[in-house]
């Protein structure tokens, strides 16, 4: 609302008890156009009513002293959370001066429920200007006549100028003719210049073409001569290589024939003897090695070595495959190692598969530990053998963190208003699941907050039990606290009787463990 307004403030208490006519000291004048405002603070049980155009409609009845009346609903909701509404008196109604009686009616949208507030009265006075004597009005009328005569004189000058318009037209025609002549001359001069420039350019192009043509012919002749020379040289080289290769081939053929004639190649009989000799040598080496391995002293030394002698996996590194057939008796005696098991017994109903990877750690016949992970999910289960127990599985719940999930304040509150230039946090909530406990947090940052009002809505069940925590408020205040309910509502309450303003803010982080 603009500061250039005349505002009359009234308090209307919604009550069934009789209240006297509220004869106010509010005064407006005939010429208070667009500035005559009635501001209402509507309460019930001394507390502000929550009013906005979504839940109520408001009407007002004005009855002037001369009997004129008005019914209107053009109300403006100034502060819905504080029950403040305003009404601007129409300009035409200000002409009905004297005491005005008025009454406000509040109806609930979508219902026939209506509340009638107590009557009140205010005054509309006649302006001083309306009491000015007739003599002064005559002086103002003479001033108006003088102004009128001056305007008529200026109109006459304009008409005289238009009467001489023919002279102006003649001058304009002369100017146009001269302009056309100048343009024609410039065009002719431009045509001559373009023709000369074009002729010169074509001559230069022809000369450049002849020079380029001569260079190409000369280059072509040189290239043909070079190619011919290289071709003759290549043919001569090929002929020389061919003669050399033929001579070498004839020499090799002569040598090969000589070897055949001298019977220098390996014969089948000698090859068989060589194979028998090699076989006897290998057999002797084998017997010697077996004798060395079976030596009692060597076997004893190998047994005494402190090395791993039990295979945890297959030789290629893959895990062993086992079918436990849903029998505890097949699970209990498993040795230490890694395996892929099917039909694992005693698993809970929510498991994604009875086939998966298993780790077995065995202490002795009575104590073992088992870790099972289904092949198609990240579920992890553990069990143990303690003599004759039934091997029940327990699921390990993985750590889960939602991260900070932002939300906005409601009911007119302004979100994220403080410390945003200093890396301040925004309104948000978070859940960290540690398996056996949950850590829950909420961050609040805002202003234009109403005492005892709901300021946020979180998911239902975010708080298992009602939570009450202190929150930072302005230094001049006595502090405040926030209540988080299991249904998701978040309410703010100031501490003490200090005045809470719309610019007062809250800022803080709240945590608890469930």
């Amino acid at each position: 609302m603009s500061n250039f307004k005349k505002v009359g403030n009234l308090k209307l208490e919604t009550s069934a008890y009789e209240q006297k006519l509220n004869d106010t000291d509010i005064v407006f004048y005939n010429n208070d156009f667009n500035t005559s405002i009635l501001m209402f603070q509507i309460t019930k049980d001394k507390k502000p009513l929550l009013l906005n155009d979504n839940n109520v409609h408001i009407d007002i009845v004005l009855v002037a002293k001369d009997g004129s009346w008005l019914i209107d609903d053009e109300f403006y909701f100034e502060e819905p959370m504080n029950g403040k509404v305003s009404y601007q008196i129409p300009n035409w109604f200000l002409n009905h001066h004297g005491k005005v009686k008025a009454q406000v009616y509040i109806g609930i949208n979508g219902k026939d429920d209506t509340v009638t507030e107590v009557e009140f009265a205010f005054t509309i006075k006649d302006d001083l200007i309306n009491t000015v004597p007739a003599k002064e009005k005559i002086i103002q009328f003479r001033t108006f006549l003088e102004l009128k005569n001056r305007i008529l004189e200026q109109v006459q000058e304009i008409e005289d100028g238009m009467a001489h318009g023919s002279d102006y037209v003649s001058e304009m025609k002369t100017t146009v003719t001269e302009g056309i002549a100048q343009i024609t001359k410039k065009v002719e001069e431009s045509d001559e210049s373009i023709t000369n420039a074009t002729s010169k350019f074509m001559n230069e192009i022809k000369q450049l073409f002849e020079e380029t043509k001569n260079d190409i012919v000369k280059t072509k002749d040189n290239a043909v001569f070079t190619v011919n020379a290289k071709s003759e040289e290549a043919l001569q080289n090929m002929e020389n290589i061919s003669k050399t290769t033929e001579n070498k081939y004839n020499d090799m053929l002569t040598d090969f024939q000589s070897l055949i004639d001298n019977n220098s190649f390996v014969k089948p009989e000698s090859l068989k003897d060589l194979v028998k000799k090699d076989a006897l040598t290998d057999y002797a080496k084998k017997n010697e090695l077996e004798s060395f391995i079976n030596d009692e002293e060597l076997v004893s030394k190998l047994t005494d070595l402190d090395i791993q002698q039990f295979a945890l996996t297959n030789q290629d590194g893959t895990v062993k495959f086992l079918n436990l057939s849903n029998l505890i008796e097949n699970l209990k005696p498993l040795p230490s190692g890694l395996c892929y098991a099917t039909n694992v017994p005693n698993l809970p109903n929510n498991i994604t598969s009875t086939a998966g990877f298993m780790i077995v750690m065995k202490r002795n016949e009575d104590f073992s530990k088992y870790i099972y992970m289904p092949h198609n999910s990240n579920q992890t289960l553990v069990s143990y053998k303690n003599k004759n127990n039934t091997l029940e599985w327990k699921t390990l719940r993985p750590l889960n963190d939602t991260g900070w999930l932002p939300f906005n304040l409601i009911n007119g509150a302004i979100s994220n208003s403080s410390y945003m230039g200093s890396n301040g946090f925004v309104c948000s909530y978070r859940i960290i699941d540690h398996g056996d406990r949950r850590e829950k947090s909420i961050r609040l940052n805002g202003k234009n907050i109403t005492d005892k009002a709901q300021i946020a809505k979180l998911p239902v069940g975010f708080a298992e039990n009602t939570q009450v925590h202190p929150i930072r408020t302005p230094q001049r205040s006595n502090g405040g606290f926030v209540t988080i309910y299991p249904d998701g509502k978040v309410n703010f309450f100031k501490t003490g009787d200090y005045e809470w303003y719309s610019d007062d803010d809250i800022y803080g982080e709240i945590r608890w463990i469930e």
Side-chain angles (χ1 to χ4, degrees), residues 247-276:
N247 293 334
K248 289 184 178 180
Y249 172 77
N250 292 331
D251 293 341
M252 291 174 63
L253 185 61
T254 300
D255 294 340
F256 182 74
Q257 186 64 42
S258 177
L259 290 173
I260 292 175
D261 295 341
N262 296 328
N263 199 16
S264 299
F265 287 98
V266 178
K267 296 180 180 180
E269 293 78 6
S270 61
L271 184 61
K272 290 181 181 179
D273 294 339
L274 180 63
V275 171
K276 290 180 179 180

Side-chain angles (χ1 to χ4, degrees), residues 155-371:
V155 170
Q156 187 61 41
E157 291 178 359
I158 294 172
E159 291 178 348
D160 292 342
M162 293 179 64
H164 296 86
S166 58
D167 296 337
Y168 301 148
V169 172
S170 299
E171 294 178 0
M172 291 173 62
K173 289 181 178 180
T174 301
T175 303
V176 170
T177 302
E178 294 176 353
I180 292 174
Q182 293 178 0
I183 293 173
T184 302
K185 183 178 180 181
K186 287 293 182 182
V187 170
E188 293 174 352
E189 293 176 353
S190 300
D191 288 342
E192 183 179 355
S193 299
I194 292 172
T195 301
N196 295 336
T198 302
S199 178
K200 181 179 179 182
F201 175 74
M202 291 302 298
N203 292 332
E204 293 177 353
I205 290 294
K206 289 180 180 180
Q207 182 179 356
L208 182 61
F209 172 76
E210 291 297 332
E211 294 176 356
T212 305
K213 179 181 177 182
N214 294 334
D215 291 341
I216 291 173
V217 172
K218 183 177 180 181
T219 302
K220 173 190 172 184
D221 294 340
N222 293 335
V224 169
F225 176 79
T226 301
V227 169
N228 290 335
K230 289 295 182 181
S231 298
E232 293 177 358
E233 182 180 353
L235 289 173
Q236 184 64 41
N237 291 336
M238 290 175 65
E239 185 177 355
N240 295 336
I241 292 173
S242 177
K243 290 181 179 179
T244 302
T245 303
E246 183 180 0
N247 293 334
K248 289 184 178 180
Y249 172 77
N250 292 331
D251 293 341
M252 291 174 63
L253 185 61
T254 300
D255 294 340
F256 182 74
Q257 186 64 42
S258 177
L259 290 173
I260 292 175
D261 295 341
N262 296 328
N263 199 16
S264 299
F265 287 98
V266 178
K267 296 180 180 180
E269 293 78 6
S270 61
L271 184 61
K272 290 181 181 179
D273 294 339
L274 180 63
V275 171
K276 290 180 179 180
K277 182 178 180 181
D278 290 342
L280 291 173
T281 302
D282 291 342
Y283 180 75
K285 290 181 179 179
K286 179 181 179 182
N287 289 336
E288 182 181 356
L289 180 61
E290 289 179 351
S291 175
F292 178 76
I293 293 175
N294 291 329
D295 186 83
E296 294 181 359
E297 182 180 358
L298 178 62
V299 172
S300 176
K301 289 183 178 180
L302 289 175
T303 303
D304 293 339
L305 289 177
D306 187 15
I307 60 175
Q308 173 68 41
Q309 301 184 41
F310 183 83
L312 297 178
T313 65
N314 296 321
Q315 291 185 358
D316 60 357
T318 59
V319 297
K320 301 175 182 180
F321 176 82
L322 298 174
N323 184 357
L324 300 180
S325 303
N326 288 317
L327 297 175
I328 290 291
E329 290 75 13
N330 293 338
L331 177 63
K332 287 183 177 181
L334 290 179
S336 296
L338 308 176
C339 66
Y340 183 89
T342 59
N343 299 313
V344 179
N346 275 25
L347 291 173
N349 294 331
N350 63 347
I351 202 69
T352 59
S353 177
T354 60
F357 296 91
M358 185 181 298
I359 302 173
V360 181
M361 295 170 284
K362 187 173 183 179
R363 173 69 178 85
N364 52 39
E365 294 299 326
D366 294 329
F367 299 98
S368 298
K369 195 78 171 182
Y370 307 88
I371 301 175

Side-chain angles (χ1 to χ4, degrees), residues 15-85:
S15 173
Y17 293 96
E18 183 178 2
Q19 302 179 60
K20 294 181 180 180
L21 173 67
N22 187 3
D23 194 354
T24 68
D25 296 330
I26 298 173
V27 177
F28 298 115
Y29 288 89
N30 297 138
N31 288 321
D32 286 337
F33 293 155
N34 303 322
T35 60
S36 305
I37 306 298
L38 294 174
M39 182 71 70
F40 301 97
Q41 173 73 62
I42 303 176
T43 60
K44 181 180 180 182
D45 299 330
K46 307 300 182 182
K47 296 180 180 179
L49 281 177
L50 303 182
L51 303 173
N52 60 60
D53 55 1
N54 291 326
N55 60 359
V56 298
H57 58 273
I58 305 176
D59 298 277
I60 190 171
V61 175
L62 303 178
V63 180
K65 183 178 180 181
D66 60 4
S68 301
W69 57 273
L70 165 68
I71 300 177
D72 199 359
D73 63 352
E74 294 294 327
F75 274 81
Y76 180 75
F77 294 88
E78 298 283 350
E79 297 180 17
M81 302 300 296
N82 292 326
K84 279 191 176 184
V85 297

Side-chain angles (χ1 to χ4, degrees), residues 379-390:
Q379 291 178 313
T380 303
L381 298 92
V382 296
S383 185
Y384 66 94
K385 175 185 176 184
N386 188 353
K387 293 188 177 179
N388 295 319
N389 69 312
T390 59

